[in-house]
Amino acid sequence: MSTLIDHQIENAKRVCQRCLVQQVGPPARSVADATQILNTLEGLLNKYGDYCKFWIGPNLNVCVKNAGDIRLLLTSNQLNKKGPFYEEMKSFIGSGILSGGPNWRNHRKIVTPSYNKISVQVYSKVFNKEARELATVLANKNPKTTFNVYCDVVRFTTQSVCQTLMGLSKEESKNVKRMDEIVALTQSMYNNIFENIAHWWLRIPGVKILTGRCNKEKYYIKLIQEFTSDILERRTRALNESGGTIEEYMGIVDRFILSGEVSDQDKRFEIFTLFTTSQEASAKLASAVLLFLAHLPEWQQKVYNEIMDVLGTDEDVTEDHLKQLHSLDLVYKEALRYLSIAAFIQRSVEKEITINEGKLTLPVGTAVIISIHMLHRDLCHWEEPNKVKPERFLPENVKQRDPNAFVPFSLGAMDCLGRVYATSLIKTFVVQTLRRVQLEADGNIEDLELHVAISVKFAKGYNLRARPRT
């Protein structure tokens, strides 16, 4: 194994010991790359209007900014194929739910019941238990010490996902092979994918070998295989011992096994895909909501008062409770707007389609690029888009805005599977946390640097302080 990989492993181990989620390696290049891409797209759109076209290698790309056409394209059956960018993901996650391919629709159909409202209500018991443990950890922090709350949150979102979607017990969740390294390196893996997307020359075999990227990617793939194989073996053994049948609330691993329609390798790919997109994305959004509340004390007080009025101090959080927490919902939606789950979406045109009120026809094979990050900051729809303002989602303000301007979970057949799951998990974590601690932070949240790659996050962490409530 090369020196680069040895360093990567040792670095990951050190990271796991002090904080499960610190990024391996400096993110500066990815930040610059993403900023350059966004600036280039924004410049083209400012010059040519809501539509611009350009070539990336042999692929014609059309970037669309018009909110109405974005909805049309994402919901059209003529674009149910992921674009060429997603090819760079397939070494890690195969041709499946996230990356597209011939089996994505069938795989999605198999696991969808695990994400519906009925299943999420059953998972609520786990969410509350893990959220209470998180709140206890935060309440025991030194109130004068600033820390990256994401490092704590992701431990408990990981446990929540393991005990629900993965179908593991609490004890099993603590002993899954290579899980600490997976959690520590997930962001580094996705940054590596984004760099390959942004720089075509990094995909050249000779360049990959000379730069050490080839060995690094092999290590990532080996890590994923060992992690997912352990989960798959545990659940296969458990189902064999119990004579398992499909139950209404079972996790995604059991559904894949019992379906009999998915190869073992595809199961492993989908386990990794759904594990990381559930625990890592939920952790980033939950941390963002907590950070917003730390920077906006008046909103923190509103949310806290609402929690006390609806639930009091001890009751478990239920779906009915969450529906009544309107202030929390406003802050949550603003976090979704400000930090897009997917910065870019790319689709391939499979059948000719017309947009721009019939003025523009997209031929078969065109790659359509939609920047959710840019849509959520478009001055045409958002006043002071670079400021954090939860009040923009008050009903009277929403009525004045194009409903197509806010698509945090995408749209159509390929939209985000986990919107109900993630929303319940994140809000439960916030409720249980605010019951126990008061959050504080320094400076202005708008001054915090963003890291834009496959998703959007705060480049230097989600740094705040927690003071126990009396």
Side-chain angles (χ1 to χ4, degrees), residues 10-22 24 184:
E10 292 306 313
N11 196 13
K13 289 178 179 177
R14 288 195 299 272
V15 166
C16 291
Q17 290 170 358
R18 69 176 185 270
C19 167
L20 287 177
V21 295
Q22 291 291 337
V24 177

Side-chain angles (χ1 to χ4, degrees), residues 51 108 433 468:
Y51 314 89
R108 182 179 173 114
T433 297

Side-chain angles (χ1 to χ4, degrees), residues 318-367:
T318 68
E319 183 62 28
D320 287 339
H321 293 141
L322 294 179
K323 290 176 182 177
Q324 299 176 63
L325 300 178
H326 304 297
S327 295
L328 173 57
D329 190 56
L330 300 181
V331 180
Y332 174 61
K333 287 178 178 175
E334 180 66 346
L336 287 168
R337 183 196 71 84
Y338 199 82
L339 300 164
S340 299
I341 298 170
F344 301 92
I345 293 174
Q346 190 188 49
R347 297 282 188 269
S348 290
V349 178
E350 297 181 279
K351 185 178 178 182
E352 189 176 280
I353 186 170
T354 301
I355 58 174
N356 191 19
E357 299 179 345
K359 300 173 186 174
L360 180 61
T361 299
L362 303 179
V364 174
T366 304

Side-chain angles (χ1 to χ4, degrees), residues 166-417:
M166 299 296 110
L168 303 173
S169 67
K170 176 77 170 182
E171 189 60 33
E172 287 175 322
S173 302
K174 296 177 180 178
N175 297 295
V176 176
K177 189 175 183 180
R178 312 302 289 273
M179 187 167 75
D180 285 356
E181 285 178 87
I182 284 286
V183 175
L185 289 172
T186 293
Q187 294 187 42
S188 181
M189 292 181 199
Y190 281 110
N191 283 342
N192 188 82
I193 292 169
F194 181 79
E195 288 170 358
N196 286 342
I197 292 171
H199 301 296
W200 62 267
W201 58 87
L202 292 177
R203 298 173 237 160
I204 299 173
V207 174
K208 291 181 72 170
I209 293 171
L210 290 173
T211 58
R213 297 176 69 86
C214 186
N215 283 339
K216 183 164 69 171
E217 289 178 10
K218 285 179 181 178
Y219 174 69
Y220 289 156
I221 292 169
K222 180 176 182 291
L223 192 64
I224 293 168
Q225 289 287 315
E226 292 182 10
F227 166 71
T228 55
S229 293
D230 189 28
I231 294 177
L232 188 57
E233 288 168 10
R234 288 173 185 267
R235 292 312 306 157
T236 300
R237 187 164 57 248
L239 289 172
N240 288 338
E241 291 172 357
S242 66
T245 56
I246 294 180
E247 298 176 4
E248 192 173 2
Y249 313 124
M250 65 175 24
I252 59 112
V253 182
D254 292 2
R255 290 185 186 279
F256 277 131
I257 294 170
L258 295 176
S259 73
E261 301 175 29
V262 184
S263 70
D264 283 350
Q265 181 57 55
D266 282 347
K267 290 172 194 168
R268 287 190 283 267
F269 281 140
E270 298 292 25
I271 289 170
F272 178 69
T273 297
L274 298 175
F275 174 81
T276 57
T277 55
S278 298
Q279 55 83 225
E280 197 248 4
S282 295
K284 283 193 291 191
L285 277 170
S287 301
V289 174
L290 295 175
L291 186 61
F292 281 16
L293 294 171
H295 278 275
L296 303 172
E298 70 282 6
W299 277 97
Q300 183 175 174
Q301 192 62 47
K302 285 181 184 179
V303 174
Y304 176 74
N305 291 343
E306 218 171 46
I307 291 169
M308 291 299 103
D309 290 342
V310 174
L311 288 98
T313 57
D314 297 315
E315 194 173 351
D316 267 5
V317 184
T318 68
E319 183 62 28
D320 287 339
H321 293 141
L322 294 179
K323 290 176 182 177
Q324 299 176 63
L325 300 178
H326 304 297
S327 295
L328 173 57
D329 190 56
L330 300 181
V331 180
Y332 174 61
K333 287 178 178 175
E334 180 66 346
L336 287 168
R337 183 196 71 84
Y338 199 82
L339 300 164
S340 299
I341 298 170
F344 301 92
I345 293 174
Q346 190 188 49
R347 297 282 188 269
S348 290
V349 178
E350 297 181 279
K351 185 178 178 182
E352 189 176 280
I353 186 170
T354 301
I355 58 174
N356 191 19
E357 299 179 345
K359 300 173 186 174
L360 180 61
T361 299
L362 303 179
V364 174
T366 304
V368 176
I369 295 178
I370 297 166
S371 172
I372 302 298
H373 179 68
M374 289 172 59
L375 176 66
H376 287 175
R377 290 166 184 264
D378 190 340
L379 280 166
C380 294
H381 309 295
W382 309 96
E383 182 181 347
E384 298 182 301
N386 295 321
K387 287 190 175 182
V388 175
K389 299 170 65 176
E391 62 269 23
R392 66 174 88 245
F393 287 98
L394 287 167
E396 59 268 28
N397 294 329
V398 171
K399 288 179 182 177
Q400 300 175 19
R401 188 168 54 242
D402 187 333
N404 302 313
F406 184 58
V407 288
F409 296 103
S410 186
L411 296 166
M414 289 183 158
D415 69 348
C416 177
L417 257 175

